Amino acid sequence: MSITTQGREETAARQLDISMPGFPESLPADVMFEQDVIRTIGRGFEARGFRPLDSACIQRQEVLVAGGAQYLDGGIPEFAFTVQEPPESYTGANLALRYDLTVPVSRFIAEHSARLSFPLHCYQINKVWRAEQMPTATHWREFYQCDVDVIGQGELSLLYDAEIANALVGAFQNIGVDGFTVHISNRKVLAALLDSHGVRVHRARAIVQILDKGNRQPVEQTVQQLAASGIPEHVAADLGRLVASPTLSDARDLLKLRGAELVGVDELDTVIRAAHDLGMPEDHLVLDFSITRGHDYYTGTVFETFATGREHWGAIGAGGRYEDLLKHVNGRSYPGVGMSVGLARLMGLLREDGVRKQRGLRRDAVTVVRHEGGDAQTVLETVRRLRDAGLSVQAVFDPVDGAKALGIAEEAEVARLVSVLDTGEATVRCMASGAERHVTRDGIVAAVTADAS
């Protein structure tokens, strides 16, 4: 190969676009913070009796669109990444990456129901994928969802809707969110009011998208937008009145006035009372008739969760009740209720609040480095003995100077830095205070473990 040809190839390699827009990648410290949050959420769910499960990230496309399991604004073809099987193992299935966790879990249960006990209390914290065209800082093409569900067989009490709302309290109370509220409604209320006016389902989709902004803008603006979309003015006025209803009594009076069904209001009354009986603080549960949710598969109670004072961030958790998501798969009904937490948005809030900085250094973590000219054998012995003492130890066997050693320890967020010198002795540095101790070879482990206690 000539020098000229080689140069061109090297230039082409340097110009290769290796970026992955919309697919987040994180440095170790950020991943550790995220994993801490995931573990805390999981422990919160488990404290309320929910158990983890895992479903396949690749699903059949016909499952992902089952039972109206798509978005109101275009459906699964717009949001899912399709998956192509290699010719060597081609089965003929139409496959796609899951875009949420609710539908795959429902399929999992339909397939494995004979091995499960119902009602099933489960949670899943896994990645999902959506073919978003305009990813944002908190809305990626690949992201974690944290789902918690109760799923029954044949029937499922409304009291489980209250249990799901309380599960969010358990998940959020220990991760540092400075106040949050669960907004609750019931899709049957909106459906009853529309039905009383003879509004058909295809018109309801535009209505849902406008009402979804109801808690973030004046009611008058919502009514104007509804009328501008072609909704008759008297219907738009009633919808505005519903969104503005502060109590169940107000909503009930409106439905009675229009001769509409009251089932949705009655269900809300049951769920809200039960949530409070379970110990949910009254100021954590907010009646909000603008909550409608964008999925077609929700049939009753719907939730959205907001961080107090940061409602402009959008919902950090959402969900609701679904009755017949996969009934056509095996002819059996698996009603469920659940809620999903979008981790990317939640992590954004925690970073804004400085929670990651408040977390502090890892008290049980140590970095052991070999100072320039340091004794390699002492490094090996020290690493082993510290690990045997139950500490998390990062070992750096290559000789490093003081500045580089400090940078490694800071990036690893360890509580102590041990620099082994050429004499076999060491310097133990407290990363929080900067204080250093000079110790003998035999005193290294005692000095570090004493500081860790």
Side-chain angles (χ1 to χ4, degrees):
M1 178 184 296
S2 69
I3 294 177
T4 302
T5 302
Q6 181 179 356
R8 284 199 298 267
E9 291 184 355
E10 290 177 352
T11 300
R14 287 196 298 270
Q15 294 175 345
L16 179 65
D17 185 2
I18 60 173
S19 63
M20 292 292 292
F23 294 90
E25 296 175 316
S26 303
L27 296 173
D30 290 323
V31 174
M32 293 186 72
F33 178 41
E34 185 175 70
Q35 290 299 318
D36 281 348
V37 171
I38 288 174
R39 284 190 290 268
T40 301
I41 291 173
R43 286 194 296 267
F45 289 155
E46 290 175 9
R48 280 160 173 75
F50 293 86
R51 297 186 298 164
L53 60 75
D54 192 16
S55 63
C57 64
I58 296 176
Q59 300 282 328
R60 293 177 180 270
Q61 291 185 34
E62 56 267 32
V63 169
L64 291 177
V65 299
Q70 59 259 33
Y71 289 85
L72 293 172
D73 54 357
I76 190 67
E78 182 179 345
F79 282 86
F81 284 102
T82 57
V83 177
Q84 184 174 352
E85 294 181 287
E88 296 82 3
S89 60
Y90 184 66
T91 65
N94 295 317
L95 303 174
L97 290 173
R98 63 188 176 204
Y99 66 89
D100 78 351
L101 296 176
T102 302
V103 179
V105 167
S106 296
R107 183 213 55 78
F108 174 93
I109 289 169
E111 182 176 351
H112 301 285
S113 59
R115 299 160 55 195
L116 298 170
S117 298
F118 295 92
L120 178 67
H121 294 66
C122 61
Y123 77 90
Q124 185 176 185
I125 302 177
N126 265 321
K127 284 190 173 183
V128 299
W129 293 263
R130 293 181 188 168
E132 302 283 358
Q133 294 183 356
M134 296 293 291
T136 67
T138 61
H139 206 180
W140 299 86
R141 289 182 160 194
E142 176 184 81
F143 56 97
Y144 276 103
Q145 279 192 337
C146 311
D147 274 25
V148 60
D149 295 88
V150 180
I151 299 174
Q153 193 174 55
E155 296 181 353
L156 187 69
S157 168
L158 283 173
L159 301 183
Y160 292 111
D161 297 32
E163 180 75 327
I164 289 297
N166 272 268
L168 262 290
V169 177
F172 284 175
Q173 65 184 2
N174 293 321
I175 61 176
V177 176
D178 187 18
F180 64 92
T181 53
V182 178
H183 291 223
I184 186 172
S185 185
N186 190 304
R187 290 187 70 155
K188 292 177 183 177
V189 177
L190 174 63
L193 183 59
L194 292 176
D195 186 61
S196 72
H197 285 289
V199 177
R200 302 195 178 276
V201 174
H202 75 277
R203 299 292 296 280
R205 296 189 171 188
I207 292 171
V208 164
Q209 293 174 342
I210 295 172
L211 292 186
D212 188 53
K213 305 173 185 176
N215 64 356
R216 300 189 297 275
Q217 65 183 23
V219 174
E220 295 77 15
Q221 188 174 346
T222 298
V223 173
Q224 291 172 1
Q225 291 172 350
L226 289 166
S229 71
I231 303 300
E233 290 187 5
H234 67 286
V235 179
D238 268 3
L239 291 171
R241 180 176 170 182
L242 176 64
V243 169
S245 296
T247 67
L248 289 174
S249 296
D250 291 311
R252 192 186 301 275
D253 290 344
L254 173 60
L255 295 182
K256 284 182 177 179
L257 185 63
R258 302 302 178 222
E261 291 284 343
L262 300 176
V263 175
V265 174
D266 292 338
E267 289 186 357
L268 270 174
D269 190 21
T270 298
V271 173
I272 291 172
R273 289 176 184 272
H276 292 153
D277 287 342
L278 285 169
M280 189 167 192
E282 291 196 10
D283 59 350
H284 276 44
L285 194 60
V286 177
L287 180 67
D288 184 350
F289 287 108
S290 73
I291 303 300
T292 54
R293 300 301 302 136
H295 286 296
D296 282 348
Y297 56 66
Y298 291 120
T299 56
T301 307
V302 283
F303 307 98
E304 288 191 5
T305 303
F306 298 89
T308 305
R310 268 81 56 80
E311 287 79 6
H312 62 281
W313 275 75
I316 55 177
R321 174 171 279 252
Y322 44 94
E323 296 290 346
D324 299 311
L325 195 53
L326 286 177
K327 188 174 182 178
H328 69 284
V329 173
N330 61 2
R332 305 185 72 175
S333 175
Y334 295 94
V337 58
M339 191 178 292
S340 175
V341 177
L343 195 63
R345 186 168 290 172
L346 177 60
M347 297 301 294
L349 281 168
L350 294 176
R351 291 188 180 96
E352 183 179 83
D353 286 351
V355 172
R356 180 171 178 270
K357 294 180 180 179
Q358 297 168 12
R359 188 179 58 149
L361 302 174
R362 295 183 291 143
R363 287 185 54 81
D364 62 346
V366 187
T367 294
V368 178
V369 303
R370 178 183 173 188
H371 198 268
E372 292 178 305
D375 179 62
Q377 187 61 38
T378 303
V379 173
L380 292 168
E381 292 174 1
T382 300
V383 167
R384 177 176 177 176
R385 292 169 66 188
L386 286 171
R387 287 174 178 166
D388 287 346
L391 297 175
S392 171
V393 182
Q394 177 190 41
V396 180
F397 300 116
D398 303 310
V400 295
D401 61 25
K404 185 171 183 180
L406 193 59
I408 292 171
E410 288 176 344
E411 195 278 332
E413 298 182 333
V414 299
R416 289 163 303 285
L417 168 65
V418 176
S419 298
V420 177
L421 308 175
D422 54 357
T423 60
E425 299 172 323
T427 298
V428 178
R429 180 186 179 92
C430 173
M431 296 299 295
S433 66
E436 293 186 346
R437 298 171 59 187
H438 189 78
V439 297
T440 64
R441 176 173 182 161
D442 292 335
I444 296 174
V445 175
V448 172
T449 54
D451 288 343
S453 61

